[in-house]
Amino acid sequence: MKVAVIGLGTIGMGAAQNLVRKGHQVVGCDVREAARAELPNAVAHADEVPPDTEAVAVFVVNAAQTEDVLFGKHGCLPKLAKGVVVLCCATIAPEAARALDAKISGAGFLMLDAPTSGGKAGAQAGTMTIMASGSDAAFARAQPVLDAISTKVWRLGDRVGVGSTVKMVNQLLAGVHIATAAEALALGIRAGADPRTLFEVISSSAGSSWMWQNRVPHILDGDDTPLSAVNIFVKDLGIVLDQARALTFPLPMAAAAHQLFLAAAAHGDGAKDDAFVIRVWQALAGIELPKGS
C-alpha cells in the first residue's frame, strides 16, 4: 500500500519504519531535516507526497497542525484522489475530531479517528494500541496500515470522536499517574529513602502503576531526553479539562496534575521528559535527584 506518514516524531517515525518493514511503499513528511534523514523518501511538506498515495497517517501534535497538513498552504489532500483514507492519530478534543471529519468527508475522503497508545517502545515495535472510530469503509481502507503499526485495534463504532474521547480518558489517567509517581518519589527522597530501593519496593507492591514502572527509571538514570515531553501533558490535560468544563464535570485530580505540568513548563522543563515534572518538587523542597537530575 502507498502510505504517507506525516509527522516523524517519536510515534510517527516508529509507525513509518514498521510500515516499511511490512512491505508498504512509505513516504514520510516532516519539516525537520534531522527527522527526514532517518527515513528514505521523506519530504519536507505534505503537498510533496505522491499523488497516488492511498492512505495518509497523521502523527502531528494537535488539531491545528492536523488541519494544516491536510488543507493548509502545503496541505496534501487537494492533490490526492478522492476516497483516500486519513488516519488522524494525534490526541485531540472529540469536537475537534468531529470538525475534521466534516471537512475531510466533505472533500471526498475517509477519516479514521485513530489516536494511539504505547509510546516510543510500542511505536518502534509495531505493538501500539489504537482507539479508533469511523465508518466501515474507513476501517476497511485503513486496515493494512493498522495491521502494520499495532497489535490491538479497538473498534469503537462508526462515529468519529469516540476514539478521541477514549484517548482523552487515557490521557487523564496517564497524566495523573505520572504526576503522582513523581510526587511519591519526591516525598520518599525528602524523607530519606534510597530512591532506587524505593522504586524496587513499590514496583512489587500494591501502590505500583504502569507509569511508575515506566517513568521512574528515567528519573533514576537522570535522563530527561523527551520520550514524551512535559508539554504534551500540558496540552492533553488541557483538552481533558476543557471537555470537562463543557460537560459541567469536576476533575480535581486532573486539574491538580495539569497545574504541576504547567509549573514544570514554567520552570523551563516543558521540552523535557514528562517524568521530570518531579523538578517542581525539587524546586519547592530542595531535594537532590539521582545522578544530578
Side-chain angles (χ1 to χ4, degrees):
M1 190 175 197
K2 297 178 179 179
V3 185
V5 177
I6 302 178
L8 299 176
T10 300
I11 309 303
M13 182 64 76
Q17 290 171 339
N18 273 288
L19 283 160
V20 171
R21 282 194 285 268
K22 298 295 175 61
H24 296 282
Q25 298 178 49
V26 179
V27 173
C29 176
D30 200 291
V31 294
R32 297 168 301 150
E33 184 176 355
R36 297 196 303 274
E38 294 186 41
L39 190 76
N41 301 320
V43 298
H45 300 292
D47 60 357
E48 299 175 68
V49 305
D52 58 349
T53 295
E54 299 170 90
V56 178
V58 183
F59 288 93
V60 294
V61 172
N62 54 35
Q65 290 185 5
T66 300
E67 183 169 1
D68 184 60
V69 299
L70 297 176
F71 296 103
K73 179 181 178 181
H74 296 290
C76 65
L77 290 189
K79 69 177 295 183
L80 301 184
K82 305 301 182 186
V84 165
V85 64
V86 179
L87 293 83
C88 293
C89 300
T91 300
I92 62 177
E95 63 268 23
R98 290 188 285 269
L100 278 168
D101 180 48
K103 195 164 185 179
I104 291 169
S105 299
F109 301 92
L110 298 169
M111 173 177 165
L112 199 65
D113 180 20
T116 67
S117 182
K120 180 178 181 180
Q124 290 181 335
T127 59
M128 291 190 291
T129 294
I130 299 181
M131 309 160 207
S133 61
S135 68
D136 288 342
F139 271 107
R141 195 69 59 86
Q143 196 62 53
V145 178
L146 299 174
D147 290 342
I149 68 174
S150 66
T151 51
K152 179 63 178 179
V153 178
W154 288 98
R155 291 190 63 148
L156 301 170
D158 59 3
R159 293 184 297 111
V160 164
V162 179
S164 287
T165 296
V166 174
K167 179 61 185 294
M168 177 182 69
V169 173
N170 182 80
Q171 295 307 91
L172 184 161
L173 290 165
V176 169
H177 288 177
I178 292 168
T180 303
E183 179 180 82
L185 183 66
L187 173 63
I189 292 171
R190 178 63 181 268
D194 175 74
R196 292 189 179 275
T197 302
L198 180 63
F199 170 69
E200 292 171 4
V201 172
I202 298 302
S203 292
S204 63
S205 302
S208 186
S209 68
W210 191 93
M211 284 301 186
W212 170 272
Q213 294 190 36
N214 184 265
R215 296 305 205 268
V216 171
H218 302 176
I219 301 169
L220 298 178
D221 292 341
D223 185 3
D224 63 8
T225 303
L227 301 184
S228 174
V230 164
N231 282 335
I232 293 296
F233 279 97
V234 173
K235 172 185 75 80
D236 289 359
L237 287 174
I239 290 171
V240 170
L241 294 170
D242 286 344
Q243 184 68 48
R245 277 190 292 271
L247 295 170
T248 318
F249 193 93
L251 291 177
M253 304 302 177
H258 190 229
Q259 288 298 309
L260 291 166
F261 284 106
L262 280 169
H267 188 252
D269 293 308
K272 303 301 185 182
D273 187 85
D274 54 28
F276 286 83
V277 68
I278 197 172
R279 288 189 175 136
V280 174
W281 287 278
Q282 182 184 34
L284 290 173
I287 60 174
E288 183 177 348
L289 299 181
K291 293 190 175 180
S293 299

